[in-house]
Amino acid sequence: MKTSLSHRTKGVFAVLVVIAAACGSSTKSSAPSSSAAGAATAAATGAATTAATGAATAAATGAPTTAAAGGSTPAGADTTAAPLKTAAPETTPPDLTTPGAAPIIGNITFSGVTPNAGNWALQAGVAEGIFKQYGINAKLIYSASSPASIAALFGGSVQFTTALYDAAIPAWQKNPDLEYVASGYDLLPYELIVDPTKIKTVADLKGKTCAAQNPPTIGDGLYVQLMISEASNNTLSYANKDYNIATLPITAPSALGALKSGQIQCIAELPPVSGTLNNAGYPTLIHASELAQFKGLPFFGLNTLKSWATAHTDQVVAFLEGYLASIAWLENPANKDAAIALLAKNAGLPVGDATAAYSWVTAGGFPRQGLIKDDALANDLKLAQQFGRLADVTNAQLASIVDLSYVKQAYAKLPQSVKDTPSVVSP
């Protein structure tokens, strides 16, 4: 950047000299000064958007593995899954720049579960080049489950993941190098979608097989139980073998295939896939957001490794700056159409289905400052212990799994124009 500016200055100076000579006069001139470009403000002000690039759709299909009610963890739910085949990034030379952006200081690969509305801001940050504006070449990949994402993190193939809190806690018990550095989404908008030919009321769930992407002991495997328990006034219980839970990828093709074939009769889903299933004739029986036990339950947070973060503090802060700027971009009403088109493309869904998922944005679940709420992990731990998990973990112990110092630095460094970006979220 400095070299480019220097040549430009010399060029201007040379032109002035030529003009002076042509006029036959002696002219004094001083070369214009220029400052090195700092980190550009995020594209959160309604600027024209670019097409989403490179975000693969996790459309894995296949028959679900059914766990007998109250039985062992289903096959395919191994929390030691092999890490994703992604080469660990090398630091990019600091003189490599992008037009209008800060010097690139590193490459970061981020693992989500599926291209859903929960990681919508991250998708936007990559597609819109927002991370590059803060000096990070970011890549987003998908790993199908929280345990697989965490395994990839421990394996070194990714530097950040999103993971359900109750899925990360057991992993942290085995390897305390894991930590949360920011919130991902603060609400839990799961829905229980059903086959209307088999299930019309909550009572009809008895004897049926419901699906979740995680095993019955974590994440949506627990949320299915919690939804059914409260909606049935505690008359139906997985522990009492009133219904079964199968593990299944929650992508639209997998869910539709399993419902149509009769392998499952209900499934825990999130927008935008829930909208796709609704449009295909499979209605929502239970909305988690309407149940008392889901109040205060967070969805997921952003993880990294303490050892990596300590050695790459500048990259962690820069990545989180880009993340917060991406949330601001997503919430900007001027970017609504571009955001919906991006999600539709990445998730492989019709624009209409992705449009319905915009309620994730208007609901205010994305953390503008990136902070994990004080009671988030405590509420999640309470849920896990309610179902007989993590009995040996205390709230005091969980303090060491969270380090918000990086995201606080990131927010403090954000340009005021980004912090003041208009939002579709009601005050």
Side-chain angles (χ1 to χ4, degrees):
M1 180 71 76
K2 291 181 180 179
T3 300
S4 176
L5 290 172
S6 176
H7 285 316
R8 188 179 303 170
T9 300
K10 290 178 180 177
V12 172
F13 192 35
V15 170
L16 290 173
V17 171
V18 171
I19 293 172
C23 295
S25 62
S26 174
T27 304
K28 287 185 180 181
S29 66
S30 58
S33 62
S34 59
S35 59
T41 56
T45 57
T49 57
T50 58
T53 58
T57 301
T61 59
T65 301
T66 305
S72 59
T73 301
D78 186 0
T79 59
T80 60
L84 300 175
K85 302 297 184 181
T86 303
E90 297 179 357
T91 301
T92 306
D95 61 344
L96 177 61
T97 58
T98 303
I104 299 298
I105 62 173
N107 301 331
I108 286 179
T109 301
F110 188 102
S111 176
V113 174
T114 62
N116 59 52
N119 51 47
W120 205 341
L122 291 159
Q123 296 175 50
V126 173
E128 295 296 321
I130 298 173
F131 286 109
K132 286 186 177 180
Q133 295 178 25
Y134 294 87
I136 296 295
N137 273 328
K139 179 182 179 181
L140 181 58
I141 61 175
Y142 303 103
S143 57
S145 72
S146 287
S149 286
I150 294 172
L153 183 64
F154 284 143
S157 59
V158 303
Q159 290 69 54
F160 283 90
T161 69
T162 53
L164 302 171
Y165 290 103
D166 66 309
I169 294 172
W172 163 77
Q173 287 181 296
K174 296 178 181 178
N175 187 344
D177 197 24
L178 182 70
E179 68 177 353
Y180 279 102
V181 293
S183 173
Y185 196 77
D186 294 331
L187 304 174
L188 204 58
Y190 270 98
E191 303 173 31
L192 191 69
I193 309 294
V194 299
D195 178 349
T197 66
K198 306 288 194 308
I199 300 171
K200 299 186 183 301
T201 68
V202 174
D204 294 334
L205 291 166
K206 187 175 180 63
K208 305 301 191 298
T209 297
C210 291
Q213 71 178 358
N214 288 294
T217 54
I218 62 172
D220 56 349
L222 282 181
Y223 305 152
V224 168
Q225 299 176 56
L226 191 61
M227 284 190 284
I228 295 176
S229 175
E230 182 170 346
S232 70
N233 293 318
N234 298 316
T235 60
L236 296 178
S237 168
Y238 175 72
N240 293 337
K241 301 182 180 181
D242 291 324
Y243 56 90
N244 295 321
I245 296 178
T247 55
L248 176 76
I250 61 171
T251 59
S254 295
L256 279 172
L259 285 166
K260 288 180 178 179
S261 69
Q263 293 171 311
I264 61 172
Q265 295 78 49
C266 45
I267 185 170
E269 276 291 2
L270 295 165
V273 174
S274 58
T276 299
L277 298 182
N278 291 161
N279 291 338
Y282 298 95
T284 298
L285 180 67
I286 305 172
H287 288 272
S289 60
E290 298 174 356
L291 301 177
Q293 292 186 83
F294 281 86
K295 303 299 182 184
L297 280 179
F299 190 10
F300 62 87
L302 272 63
N303 303 97
T304 189
L305 298 182
K306 296 175 184 177
S307 56
W308 186 87
T310 300
H312 302 84
T313 299
D314 58 341
Q315 293 186 40
V316 175
V317 174
F319 177 82
L320 292 174
E321 281 185 83
Y323 168 58
L324 297 179
S326 299
I327 293 175
W329 183 93
L330 180 62
E331 290 188 354
N332 188 340
N335 298 326
K336 178 179 178 179
D337 291 343
I340 290 171
L342 171 66
L343 183 65
K345 178 177 180 179
N346 289 353
L349 299 173
V351 171
D353 295 347
T355 300
Y358 198 69
S359 60
W360 277 63
V361 183
T362 58
F366 289 101
R368 282 294 287 262
Q369 297 187 32
L371 301 177
I372 296 174
K373 293 184 177 181
D374 293 339
D375 60 352
L377 268 75
N379 289 339
D380 214 76
L381 178 62
K382 180 180 178 181
L383 170 64
Q385 292 179 338
Q386 177 182 335
F387 287 91
R389 295 183 59 247
L390 306 176
D392 57 339
V393 178
T394 66
N395 287 325
Q397 290 174 318
L398 290 182
S400 64
I401 198 176
V402 176
D403 184 354
L404 297 179
S405 64
Y406 299 108
V407 78
K408 289 179 180 179
Q409 292 179 59
Y411 185 76
K413 293 179 66 176
L414 277 181
Q416 192 61 41
S417 60
V418 176
K419 296 178 182 178
D420 294 340
T421 300
S423 174
V424 295
V425 180
S426 301

